Amino acid sequence: MRTVFWDYDHDTVNMIDQRQLPWHFEVVAFDDYNEVARAIREMYVRGAPAIGAAAAFGLALAARQSEATDRLALLRDLETAASVLKAARPTAVNLFWAIDRLMRVATNEELETPDDVRRVLLTEAQQLADEDVEINRRMAYIGAELISDGDTILHHCNTGALATVDWGTALGVIFAAHEQGKRIHVLVDETRPRLQGARLTCWELKERGISFDLIADNAAGHFMRTGQVNIVLVGSDRTAANGDVANKIGTYKLAVVAKENGVPFYPVVPTSTIDLNLPNGDMIPIEERGMEEVVTVFGKSIAPEGITARNPAFDVTPHRYVTGIVTEVGIVYPPFEKHLREAVARAQAAKEKA
Ligand code: MRU
């Protein structure tokens, strides 16, 4: 099953409610784009490509909700919906990329009626979702070349099928290596405070019968220093033009320790996550979430009453710590400035040819 999908019988945006995993598996349906925006903000759906697809379907839904009877009125309603959806989470560029892609289609002047716009928006959202699965699959087999039989891979957050429409980015590489018959083992960072590693990555690895151990985030350095990690694989929410990588909080620390210990560090990043408009990672907006995520665990307080906490959801790893970046058009090595730009152009050309 896909993480996020359009239900053609009921005209709703459906998604797996990831807040409930691994205890309950529930698919929720939304018939209001404001609810889709809330679901992104509250992390029913999370992971950069999954957020992008949810927002795309959300905009297609907004077009259906609008009662506009002329094209320009519909476009005005779509502009409002686009800003609501874009405000849901700031870091994952896929959200903005997906909305902008759909708005480009919606504003095509060859479309005559509001229903033409409604129809093409849903087609485009569906295509974006289908492409995501295809891109991830391609990227996974490209990345699997980095994995040798017997390797132990350190992984942070959740980058699997649940973080995308299906298949995954960094976890996708792990699934591909497993499928190729390589005997691999994964050390799974629990990923405080939302525990995407413990709850979601362990769930996906267990489902596929891949060998793994869950570790406390603080243990990663120990395993790298003692030579028990062959490679670190992570995802990205936004990668700047110079190769600086924003990803789940804690990634930066992993990358520094990996370099210190000679462990290769590879983000796995579809070109939709590369933001060539930002020259470096300092310009990437970092989401800061509510402090209750830090001071409570499953609703129970873990600190004295009334204390304050900080909760940045992402950090930026400067490109000097990045060994290479796996994309759907190949593995990109330094100088990233030049090679990322070429990779994005290659991906664009391939899409235009298809
Ligand atoms: O806060 P989340 O769970 O949305 O963060 C997700 C990540 O940090 C992933 O590593 C990232 O989206 C890339 S994986 C598809």
Side-chain angles (χ1 to χ4, degrees):
M1 170 183 283
R2 290 188 172 190
T3 297
V4 52
F5 58 96
W6 184 270
D7 177 338
Y8 284 87
D9 291 331
H10 302 97
D11 277 352
T12 51
V13 179
N14 290 23
M15 57 184 72
I16 298 171
D17 181 356
Q18 301 189 32
R19 301 165 315 157
Q20 299 196 53
L21 285 171
W23 312 283
H24 300 289
F25 183 91
E26 189 182 338
V27 175
V28 285
F30 297 108
D31 59 6
D32 180 343
Y33 78 85
N34 290 290
E35 288 296 293
V36 175
R38 183 178 65 83
I40 295 172
R41 196 166 51 247
E42 295 181 5
M43 295 175 71
Y44 289 60
V45 64
R46 28 68 50 201
I51 291 172
F57 283 128
L59 199 67
L61 183 60
R64 274 147 205 263
Q65 277 176 259
S66 163
E67 288 169 4
T69 50
D70 70 86
R71 197 177 146 269
L72 287 180
L74 176 60
L75 289 181
R76 275 196 301 276
D77 285 348
L78 285 175
E79 286 292 351
T80 306
S83 8
V84 170
L85 288 160
K86 280 183 174 181
R89 291 191 79 188
T91 304
V93 74
N94 302 60
L95 172 63
F96 305 89
W97 166 86
I99 296 284
D100 290 345
R101 172 168 160 176
L102 261 74
M103 284 306 284
R104 271 198 301 280
V105 168
T107 48
N108 178 349
E109 289 187 354
E110 282 171 23
L111 300 171
E112 281 170 12
T113 67
D115 277 347
D116 289 341
V117 176
R118 292 183 178 103
R119 189 174 32 77
V120 295
L121 274 185
L122 181 55
T123 307
E124 189 70 12
Q126 185 61 57
Q127 195 174 325
L128 183 149
D130 294 343
E131 279 170 16
D132 180 63
V133 184
E134 206 31 61
I135 283 168
N136 290 338
R137 205 184 301 275
R138 214 173 315 138
M139 193 163 63
Y141 287 96
I142 290 171
E145 287 169 21
L146 298 168
I147 312 293
S148 305
D149 191 39
D151 271 358
T152 293
I153 303 149
L154 185 77
H155 177 271
H156 194 61
C157 196
N158 171 267
T159 65
L162 291 168
T164 58
V165 177
D166 202 354
W167 195 263
T169 59
L171 261 192
V173 169
I174 291 169
F175 300 155
H178 174 72
E179 211 178 86
Q180 290 170 339
K182 292 174 185 161
R183 283 160 303 176
I184 53 173
H185 185 72
V186 186
L187 291 175
V188 179
D189 265 3
E190 61 176 349
T191 320
R192 273 278 289 154
R194 298 283 302 212
L195 300 173
Q196 291 94 329
R199 296 188 300 106
L200 309 175
T201 297
C202 289
W203 186 74
E204 291 200 45
L205 289 169
K206 188 164 177 244
E207 288 256 303
R208 287 171 175 80
I210 299 174
S211 159
F212 70 92
D213 285 306
L214 175 63
I215 61 170
D217 296 330
N218 295 339
H222 163 75
F223 286 109
M224 285 197 260
R225 198 190 66 77
T226 51
Q228 299 184 65
V229 178
N230 301 97
I231 185 169
V232 179
L233 291 180
V234 297
S236 171
D237 284 79
R238 196 186 295 230
T239 293
N242 68 344
D244 291 353
V245 174
N247 191 47
K248 180 50 54 194
I249 192 75
T251 303
Y252 168 51
K253 210 161 72 168
L254 283 183
V256 174
V257 177
K259 190 168 174 118
E260 165 74 12
N261 290 284
V263 178
F265 174 88
Y266 283 90
V268 182
V269 184
T271 53
S272 56
T273 306
I274 299 169
D275 187 350
L276 293 178
N277 294 320
L278 296 189
N280 63 62
D282 293 342
M283 304 175 82
I284 298 175
I286 299 294
E287 176 182 15
E288 180 130 6
R289 297 184 63 85
M291 66 172 91
E292 70 285 352
E293 291 183 353
V294 176
V295 298
T296 58
V297 173
F298 302 128
K300 194 171 169 4
S301 169
I302 57 163
E305 188 109 347
I307 66 140
T308 55
R310 295 290 304 274
N311 187 17
F314 301 96
D315 60 26
V316 172
T317 298
H319 63 272
R320 65 177 176 280
Y321 297 108
V322 176
T323 311
I325 298 176
V326 180
T327 76
E328 75 272 24
V329 288
I331 304 175
V332 175
Y333 288 99
F336 290 121
E337 189 85 59
K338 175 169 185 284
H339 292 158
L340 279 179
R341 209 164 277 279
E342 288 169 359
V344 171
R346 266 204 314 283
Q348 191 63 36
K351 185 169 182 301
E352 275 157 23
K353 221 170 111 193

